[in-house]
Amino acid sequence: MERAQIEATVLEMVKKAKGAARSLSAMPAALKNAVLLDVGEALIAQQPYIIAENLKDMAAGEQKGLSAAMLDRLRITEKGITDMVQGLREVAALEDPVGEVSDMRRRPSGIVVGRMRVPLGVILMIYESRPNVTIDSAALCLKAGNAVILRGGSEAIHSNLALAKVLQEVLAKHGVDPAVAQVLDFTDREGVDVLLTQEAYIDLVIPRGGEGLIRAVTEKSRIPVLKHYKGVCHCFVDADADQEMAIPIILNAKVQRPSACNSLEGLLVHREIAEEFLPKAVHALKKEGVRILGCHSSCLICNETIEPAADSDWGTEFLDLALTVKVVSGLGEAMDYIDQHGSKHTETILTRSYEHSQRFLREVDASAVLVNASTRFNDGGQFGLGAEIGISTTKLHAYGPMGLKELTTQKFIVYGAGETRA
C-alpha cells in the first residue's frame, strides 16, 4: 500500500474513533453490558468461521517457520473461544466506573468541588500473536467508555479481522457506532508509524508483546505509551523466614508458569540461613527441571548443583525454567540488588519480621510488592480488578495491573450558585 493511501486510511480511522468515543462516553452501562454479552453469544454462533480464519494464519505461520511457542499463542481453539466468552461475561459483571463522583467538598467561596471518573478517550492497542487480545481489549475499553483501534501482528491478520467482524456486527445490531472498535485491516508496518503520530486523535498507546516491540513503539510515539518492558521479579528470603513455607512459594513463583511476566527470575537468600536453606531450595527447584545460575557463595554451598552465573545473567528475564541465585548480607543489600537489576514489576520478601516487611513494602520500587506470597499474584484478576489490559511498570498514569478504573481518569466538577472569584 502506498504511503499516501496508508496515511489517508489511518486518518479516516482515527477521526471516526474520536467521534465514536464521545458518544461512547455517555453510553448507559446496561447497553455496554448487553453488547458485551451479545458478542459472547456471537462468538459461539460463529465459532466455525473464526476457527477457519485462524487456520489460514496457522498455515501461513507454519510456512514462515514460526516457533512452536508462537504458533501456540496464535492458535484459536474451542476452549479459547470459551475463554473469550467467559472474559466478556466477567467484564459485563463488573461495576461501571464511568460517571462515578467522589470527593465532593464545599469551598470557602461557596462552590462545591468534586471529581468525576471519565474515559481516557481513544486507545491504540498494538500487540503480537494472541488474537484473544482483540476481544479482551475491546471489551475492557468499551466498558470503560473508550474507543479502541486494534493493530495485531501480521501473523494473526485473518483471525483478528474475523473477530473484529463479529464484534462490529453486534455493535451495529445495538445501534452503536462500529468505529468504537476498529482493527487495522492491512499489515504494512508504516501503518503503525502513522498511527503513532496521531496525537490529536489518540490519547494512549498500549503495546503488548516483547521488549523489542515496546521499545520500538516508545521511541516512535508522539502519544503517551503505557510501558511494560519486562518482568524481572525477585524473592528475598530473610534470615527469619519460615523455610517450610518459603519453598512452596518459590516453586510456585518459578515453576507454575515460567513464561509469564510475573514469574520469578531471581532468588536472594540471607547469608545467615544460606547454608541451611539453599540446598533444600535448590533440590526442590532441580526436581522441577529448573536450571540454576548462582553467585560464588551459592556455588560453594551447593557444589555442582548450581552453575556459576555470568555477569549478563543478573537481571535477565529468562521466561523459562532458569533462575539466578545470590547470597546477600541482609535486607539492605537485597534492596540494593533489586534496585539495580529489577524491572519495577513484582518483588516479594519472605520474612517473619514486621519491621523488615514494612521497609521492603515502603522502599522497594515495583508495581506490586508482596510479603510472604508468590510473585504470580501480580495479576488483575487476582487483585480483584476482574480483568486487566496489561501491567504498567511506569507510574504515569497507572502502576501495576490496569483494570477498568485504570482505563479512565478523573476530571474536576464544580457546582455553584452564582459565585464569582474575589
Side-chain angles (χ1 to χ4, degrees):
M1 190 182 290
E2 297 287 337
R3 174 79 181 196
Q5 189 179 355
I6 289 172
E7 290 176 349
T9 302
V10 166
L11 188 59
E12 183 181 6
M13 286 183 74
V14 295
K15 284 183 175 179
K16 286 181 177 178
K18 191 75 171 179
R22 183 175 177 184
S23 62
L24 183 57
S25 66
M27 185 183 294
L31 177 54
K32 289 190 276 191
N33 293 338
V35 168
L36 294 174
L37 294 174
D38 270 9
V39 171
E41 295 301 316
L43 289 174
I44 295 170
Q46 298 198 45
Q47 181 173 283
Y49 161 66
I50 294 166
I51 290 177
E53 291 300 298
N54 177 249
L55 287 174
K56 294 179 183 177
D57 290 327
M58 292 295 296
E62 289 172 359
Q63 192 171 11
K64 290 177 185 174
L66 294 184
S67 68
M70 182 76 85
L71 289 170
D72 183 59
R73 290 194 290 269
L74 180 58
R75 183 178 291 107
I76 297 178
T77 61
E78 290 185 12
K79 182 183 182 303
I81 290 177
T82 300
D83 290 345
M84 287 185 225
V85 173
Q86 182 60 30
L88 286 160
R89 291 171 179 166
E90 289 173 0
V91 173
L94 295 172
E95 186 176 349
D96 190 342
V98 178
E100 173 187 286
V101 175
S102 61
D103 301 329
M104 297 298 294
R105 297 179 184 179
R106 185 174 296 279
R107 302 294 300 144
S109 62
I111 62 172
V112 178
V113 181
R115 291 189 167 197
M116 177 181 287
R117 193 162 290 281
V118 295
L120 293 174
V122 178
I123 293 174
L124 169 61
M125 290 289 306
I126 301 173
Y127 51 103
E128 299 170 326
S129 298
R130 304 178 190 272
N132 64 291
V133 173
T134 301
I135 294 297
D136 296 345
S137 299
L140 282 165
C141 288
L142 177 70
K143 184 67 180 269
N146 300 295
V148 62
I149 295 173
L150 299 145
R151 201 286 187 181
S154 58
E155 70 283 351
I157 185 66
H158 294 97
S159 307
N160 290 333
L161 290 176
L163 293 169
K165 179 175 178 290
V166 173
L167 180 61
Q168 294 204 324
E169 285 173 355
V170 173
L171 290 169
K173 170 187 166 185
H174 285 272
V176 179
D177 187 344
V180 301
Q182 303 176 76
V183 171
L184 205 65
D185 61 0
F186 57 91
T187 60
D188 304 59
R189 290 189 178 182
E190 282 188 333
V192 174
D193 295 346
V194 176
L195 280 166
L196 293 174
T197 65
Q198 303 301 317
E199 69 270 27
Y201 301 98
I202 298 171
D203 298 282
L204 179 68
V205 181
I206 304 179
R208 289 187 63 173
E211 184 179 357
L213 169 72
I214 296 165
R215 290 199 181 279
V217 168
T218 303
E219 288 169 6
K220 294 178 180 179
S221 183
R222 295 182 191 169
I223 307 159
V225 178
L226 179 79
K227 294 184 277 291
H228 166 193
Y229 289 126
K230 54 187 176 181
V232 182
C233 309
H234 299 92
C235 173
F236 169 53
V237 185
D238 204 358
D240 66 349
D242 182 329
Q243 295 185 30
E244 288 188 15
M245 179 184 73
I247 290 176
I249 290 174
I250 293 164
L251 286 176
N252 177 261
K254 179 68 260 182
V255 174
Q256 189 207 30
R257 193 179 169 202
S259 63
C261 60
N262 56 12
S263 65
L264 188 66
E265 305 291 18
L267 177 63
L268 308 173
V269 179
H270 197 296
R271 67 184 177 195
E272 289 183 14
I273 61 164
E275 289 196 13
E276 176 188 1
F277 176 74
L278 258 183
K280 294 186 290 187
V282 168
H283 176 72
L285 288 162
K286 284 285 190 178
K287 280 181 67 177
E288 298 295 334
V290 179
R291 179 184 176 217
I292 301 174
L293 306 161
C295 65
H296 180 68
S297 295
S298 61
C299 289
L300 288 176
I301 292 168
C302 295
N303 299 320
E304 297 178 359
T305 56
I306 295 181
E307 301 173 39
D311 289 344
S312 59
D313 292 325
W314 307 114
T316 294
E317 184 183 33
F318 296 106
L319 300 175
D320 201 352
L321 289 174
L323 182 71
T324 57
V325 174
K326 183 174 179 61
V327 176
V328 294
S329 59
L331 177 62
E333 186 181 350
M335 292 194 295
D336 288 344
Y337 179 91
I338 289 169
D339 186 55
Q340 181 179 355
H341 296 288
S343 63
K344 302 184 187 299
H345 195 290
T346 313
E347 307 292 348
T348 190
I349 182 174
L350 309 185
T351 186
R352 287 189 176 101
S353 167
Y354 177 78
E355 179 186 351
H356 285 190
S357 70
Q358 296 310 297
R359 275 198 65 196
F360 197 83
L361 290 174
R362 284 193 307 268
E363 297 178 32
V364 169
D365 187 7
S367 77
V369 184
L370 298 86
V371 177
N372 295 326
S374 168
T375 58
R376 291 281 290 119
F377 280 108
N378 190 4
D379 172 84
Q382 294 293 321
F383 283 0
L385 305 183
E388 69 175 44
I389 204 163
I391 294 179
S392 171
T393 55
T394 51
K395 296 171 185 170
L396 296 177
H397 75 287
Y399 202 21
M402 289 192 63
L404 284 178
K405 280 197 172 182
E406 288 72 32
L407 289 174
T408 63
T409 187
Q410 287 182 303
K411 67 180 178 184
F412 283 96
I413 57 172
V414 180
Y415 289 94
E419 289 83 1
T420 58
R421 182 171 175 176

PDB file of all heavy atoms in Angstrom, residues 206-218:
ATOM      1  N   ILE A 206      -1.085   1.403  24.064  1.00  0.00           N
ATOM      2  CA  ILE A 206      -0.745   0.263  24.922  1.00  0.00           C
ATOM      3  C   ILE A 206      -0.155  -0.832  24.051  1.00  0.00           C
ATOM      4  O   ILE A 206      -0.878  -1.512  23.315  1.00  0.00           O
ATOM      5  CB  ILE A 206      -1.978  -0.274  25.684  1.00  0.00           C
ATOM      6  CG1 ILE A 206      -2.633   0.837  26.503  1.00  0.00           C
ATOM      7  CG2 ILE A 206      -1.572  -1.439  26.585  1.00  0.00           C
ATOM      8  CD1 ILE A 206      -3.878   0.394  27.256  1.00  0.00           C
ATOM      9  N   PRO A 207       1.161  -1.014  24.082  1.00  0.00           N
ATOM     10  CA  PRO A 207       1.770  -2.122  23.346  1.00  0.00           C
ATOM     11  C   PRO A 207       1.826  -3.369  24.229  1.00  0.00           C
ATOM     12  O   PRO A 207       2.193  -3.291  25.402  1.00  0.00           O
ATOM     13  CB  PRO A 207       3.177  -1.610  23.030  1.00  0.00           C
ATOM     14  CG  PRO A 207       3.473  -0.598  24.094  1.00  0.00           C
ATOM     15  CD  PRO A 207       2.181  -0.118  24.666  1.00  0.00           C
ATOM     16  N   ARG A 208       1.458  -4.505  23.656  1.00  0.00           N
ATOM     17  CA  ARG A 208       1.541  -5.775  24.390  1.00  0.00           C
ATOM     18  C   ARG A 208       2.369  -6.741  23.563  1.00  0.00           C
ATOM     19  O   ARG A 208       1.985  -7.096  22.452  1.00  0.00           O
ATOM     20  CB  ARG A 208       0.145  -6.354  24.650  1.00  0.00           C
ATOM     21  CG  ARG A 208      -0.645  -5.579  25.667  1.00  0.00           C
ATOM     22  CD  ARG A 208      -1.940  -6.258  26.033  1.00  0.00           C
ATOM     23  NE  ARG A 208      -1.747  -7.553  26.674  1.00  0.00           N
ATOM     24  CZ  ARG A 208      -2.737  -8.266  27.204  1.00  0.00           C
ATOM     25  NH1 ARG A 208      -3.970  -7.813  27.156  1.00  0.00           N
ATOM     26  NH2 ARG A 208      -2.489  -9.435  27.768  1.00  0.00           N
ATOM     27  N   GLY A 209       3.500  -7.120  24.105  1.00  0.00           N
ATOM     28  CA  GLY A 209       4.384  -8.029  23.381  1.00  0.00           C
ATOM     29  C   GLY A 209       5.757  -8.023  24.014  1.00  0.00           C
ATOM     30  O   GLY A 209       5.930  -7.680  25.186  1.00  0.00           O
ATOM     31  N   GLY A 210       6.755  -8.373  23.219  1.00  0.00           N
ATOM     32  CA  GLY A 210       8.113  -8.438  23.715  1.00  0.00           C
ATOM     33  C   GLY A 210       8.723  -7.069  23.944  1.00  0.00           C
ATOM     34  O   GLY A 210       8.192  -6.040  23.512  1.00  0.00           O
ATOM     35  N   GLU A 211       9.879  -7.071  24.619  1.00  0.00           N
ATOM     36  CA  GLU A 211      10.560  -5.822  24.938  1.00  0.00           C
ATOM     37  C   GLU A 211      10.910  -5.033  23.687  1.00  0.00           C
ATOM     38  O   GLU A 211      10.826  -3.799  23.668  1.00  0.00           O
ATOM     39  CB  GLU A 211      11.824  -6.124  25.742  1.00  0.00           C
ATOM     40  CG  GLU A 211      12.563  -4.891  26.200  1.00  0.00           C
ATOM     41  CD  GLU A 211      13.808  -5.217  27.007  1.00  0.00           C
ATOM     42  OE1 GLU A 211      14.076  -6.421  27.268  1.00  0.00           O
ATOM     43  OE2 GLU A 211      14.519  -4.261  27.379  1.00  0.00           O
ATOM     44  N   GLY A 212      11.275  -5.740  22.600  1.00  0.00           N
ATOM     45  CA  GLY A 212      11.630  -5.059  21.355  1.00  0.00           C
ATOM     46  C   GLY A 212      10.474  -4.256  20.802  1.00  0.00           C
ATOM     47  O   GLY A 212      10.638  -3.105  20.362  1.00  0.00           O
ATOM     48  N   LEU A 213       9.270  -4.849  20.810  1.00  0.00           N
ATOM     49  CA  LEU A 213       8.080  -4.140  20.324  1.00  0.00           C
ATOM     50  C   LEU A 213       7.824  -2.896  21.161  1.00  0.00           C
ATOM     51  O   LEU A 213       7.587  -1.801  20.619  1.00  0.00           O
ATOM     52  CB  LEU A 213       6.863  -5.070  20.379  1.00  0.00           C
ATOM     53  CG  LEU A 213       5.514  -4.383  20.141  1.00  0.00           C
ATOM     54  CD1 LEU A 213       5.356  -3.974  18.686  1.00  0.00           C
ATOM     55  CD2 LEU A 213       4.356  -5.276  20.561  1.00  0.00           C
ATOM     56  N   ILE A 214       7.882  -3.048  22.469  1.00  0.00           N
ATOM     57  CA  ILE A 214       7.538  -1.928  23.348  1.00  0.00           C
ATOM     58  C   ILE A 214       8.545  -0.791  23.205  1.00  0.00           C
ATOM     59  O   ILE A 214       8.173   0.384  23.158  1.00  0.00           O
ATOM     60  CB  ILE A 214       7.431  -2.418  24.805  1.00  0.00           C
ATOM     61  CG1 ILE A 214       6.267  -3.418  24.918  1.00  0.00           C
ATOM     62  CG2 ILE A 214       7.227  -1.254  25.772  1.00  0.00           C
ATOM     63  CD1 ILE A 214       6.254  -4.236  26.174  1.00  0.00           C
ATOM     64  N   ARG A 215       9.821  -1.126  23.105  1.00  0.00           N
ATOM     65  CA  ARG A 215      10.832  -0.075  22.933  1.00  0.00           C
ATOM     66  C   ARG A 215      10.667   0.624  21.584  1.00  0.00           C
ATOM     67  O   ARG A 215      10.825   1.847  21.488  1.00  0.00           O
ATOM     68  CB  ARG A 215      12.236  -0.658  23.082  1.00  0.00           C
ATOM     69  CG  ARG A 215      12.546  -1.080  24.508  1.00  0.00           C
ATOM     70  CD  ARG A 215      14.027  -1.223  24.774  1.00  0.00           C
ATOM     71  NE  ARG A 215      14.264  -1.645  26.154  1.00  0.00           N
ATOM     72  CZ  ARG A 215      14.271  -0.836  27.192  1.00  0.00           C
ATOM     73  NH1 ARG A 215      14.083   0.468  27.002  1.00  0.00           N
ATOM     74  NH2 ARG A 215      14.493  -1.295  28.413  1.00  0.00           N
ATOM     75  N   ALA A 216      10.356  -0.135  20.538  1.00  0.00           N
ATOM     76  CA  ALA A 216      10.163   0.463  19.212  1.00  0.00           C
ATOM     77  C   ALA A 216       8.980   1.432  19.216  1.00  0.00           C
ATOM     78  O   ALA A 216       9.050   2.536  18.663  1.00  0.00           O
ATOM     79  CB  ALA A 216       9.949  -0.633  18.174  1.00  0.00           C
ATOM     80  N   VAL A 217       7.884   1.021  19.864  1.00  0.00           N
ATOM     81  CA  VAL A 217       6.701   1.882  19.951  1.00  0.00           C
ATOM     82  C   VAL A 217       7.024   3.142  20.741  1.00  0.00           C
ATOM     83  O   VAL A 217       6.673   4.266  20.334  1.00  0.00           O
ATOM     84  CB  VAL A 217       5.521   1.115  20.588  1.00  0.00           C
ATOM     85  CG1 VAL A 217       4.386   2.071  20.954  1.00  0.00           C
ATOM     86  CG2 VAL A 217       5.012   0.032  19.643  1.00  0.00           C
ATOM     87  N   THR A 218       7.702   2.994  21.853  1.00  0.00           N
ATOM     88  CA  THR A 218       8.025   4.131  22.716  1.00  0.00           C
ATOM     89  C   THR A 218       8.911   5.142  22.000  1.00  0.00           C
ATOM     90  O   THR A 218       8.723   6.360  22.131  1.00  0.00           O
ATOM     91  CB  THR A 218       8.727   3.639  23.995  1.00  0.00           C
ATOM     92  OG1 THR A 218       7.878   2.696  24.661  1.00  0.00           O
ATOM     93  CG2 THR A 218       9.023   4.790  24.936  1.00  0.00           C
TER      94      THR A 218
END
